[in-house]
Amino acid sequence: MDDLERKSTPWLNGGFDVEGIAAALAALLVALLLGWIWAPLFWIGFAAAVAALFAARWANRTPPEVANGVVAPVDGMVVSVGLAEVPPELRLDQKPMTRIRISSAPTATNKVYTPISGSLENAIVEDGDNSIPFAMRPDDEGLARAFMSFESQGDHVGVKLASGGFGPRLDIDMVAGDIARLGRPCGTRRLGGWCDVFLPAHAAVTAWPGQSLVGGETVIGRLGAESEIRYPVAEAKEEDAFEPKVEEAEDMDDDYLSPDEADMSEDPAVLFARLREAARRSEEGD
């Protein structure tokens, strides 16, 4: 029997961290005391209790079975995809790399997932400034940040996390040298923030701006494959948009016929190009 069939509540695939529940209960108690002093103060403590529950919320995820896949490390929405310089904290020599920037709301689940199967080569956590409760912009000063570098068969993937500085916001449960399995929890980021995923420039990218991501499940790229995105994209010439190209060969003269000999069953656009080339060559001969 399948594991889901054994569960009486298969739709319940998440929960709350114990410390988050304790913090929420403490905040609720403070809210009641403040409300006893002055009723409007109750809502300050109540808001703190709700924030504690959001910070403690997690969900079970099922990683996809895909070879050389890269999954989203967090829940959120793709803000941008493009080439960018790599932060020195990631200690990666590949510059520039393809950066997928993800924004997460404060209500997003709090788990961080390993983006690839491989090994963790580097992990750095920086505490933030307690005066900054939320990460409004990814590069603001005073944010709590974490940097992780993963390696798989010679390819490297970097992850940069950012969140507000108030309270314990970022925890990484792995250390350098640990083996990473695709889409497994490897840390905690509370109350949302930002996440930059750095892929090799030759990797295939399957994410696009505006896409909603499920951490640990949504595939955002493939390693060991030619990228589907080109930087920069060359603009097409005006004549390319209207005039079909006819492949030239040594016996090209035999391919261009006079209007009387032309096969009218051909593609009209190709036929027109061939007739025009025949007329040009006739004028040059005169």
Side-chain angles (χ1 to χ4, degrees):
M1 182 181 296
D2 189 86
D3 291 339
L4 290 178
E5 295 181 358
R6 295 192 186 98
K7 294 183 178 180
S8 59
T9 56
W11 43 267
L12 185 61
N13 65 346
F16 299 89
D17 295 330
V18 175
E19 59 270 21
I21 296 177
L25 291 176
L28 186 59
L29 178 60
V30 172
L32 294 174
L33 294 176
L34 292 176
W36 181 73
I37 298 173
W38 186 39
L41 294 178
F42 167 81
W43 298 108
I44 298 177
F46 182 78
V50 173
L53 287 178
F54 279 136
R57 192 167 70 94
W58 55 267
N60 288 321
R61 297 292 160 77
T62 303
E65 296 182 1
V66 54
N68 301 324
V70 182
V71 299
V74 294
D75 293 350
M77 183 184 71
V78 178
V79 175
S80 63
V81 180
L83 291 181
E85 293 297 324
V86 182
E89 292 86 352
L90 290 176
R91 300 177 183 175
L92 298 177
D93 295 332
Q94 305 178 40
K95 297 181 180 181
M97 299 178 72
T98 301
R99 184 189 67 191
I100 303 174
R101 174 158 285 179
I102 304 169
S103 176
S104 303
T107 56
T109 58
N110 64 11
K111 293 303 179 186
V112 178
Y113 305 89
T114 53
I116 63 173
S117 293
S119 63
L120 178 66
E121 292 194 330
N122 176 48
I124 298 175
V125 179
E126 299 177 353
D127 295 331
D129 188 343
N130 287 330
S131 64
I132 302 177
F134 297 105
M136 304 304 294
R137 289 175 293 271
D139 300 319
D140 282 349
E141 295 293 334
L143 298 180
R145 291 186 171 88
F147 303 86
M148 294 184 291
S149 302
F150 298 87
E151 188 274 336
S152 175
Q153 299 181 356
D155 283 325
H156 292 82
V157 173
V159 176
K160 173 187 174 183
L161 300 164
S163 187
F166 181 77
R169 303 294 284 273
L170 278 172
D171 293 314
I172 302 300
D173 301 331
M174 300 178 65
V175 296
D178 286 351
I179 300 301
R181 297 177 59 191
L182 180 69
R184 303 300 181 182
C186 65
T188 304
R189 185 195 60 176
R190 301 173 181 89
L191 297 178
W194 299 86
C195 175
D196 290 343
V197 183
F198 292 88
L199 304 180
H202 64 266
V205 177
T206 59
W208 60 90
Q211 179 186 12
S212 295
L213 305 176
V214 177
E217 292 187 358
T218 305
V219 177
I220 60 176
R222 296 282 295 274
L223 299 178
E226 187 176 356
S227 177
E228 299 174 2
I229 299 179
R230 300 282 187 258
Y231 305 101
V233 179
E235 296 183 0
K237 296 181 180 180
E238 184 177 356
E239 60 267 25
D240 294 339
F242 302 97
E243 180 180 341
K245 294 182 179 179
V246 181
E247 185 177 359
E248 294 185 2
E250 294 181 356
D251 56 347
M252 181 66 75
D253 292 339
D254 297 335
D255 292 338
Y256 289 97
L257 306 178
S258 66
D260 296 334
E261 297 174 323
D263 182 2
M264 300 306 294
S265 64
E266 284 190 282
D267 185 347
V270 176
L271 178 60
F272 174 77
R274 294 178 62 186
L275 291 176
R276 190 169 67 174
E277 182 64 17
R280 184 182 66 80
R281 296 190 176 211
S282 176
E283 293 175 358
E284 292 177 353
D286 295 341

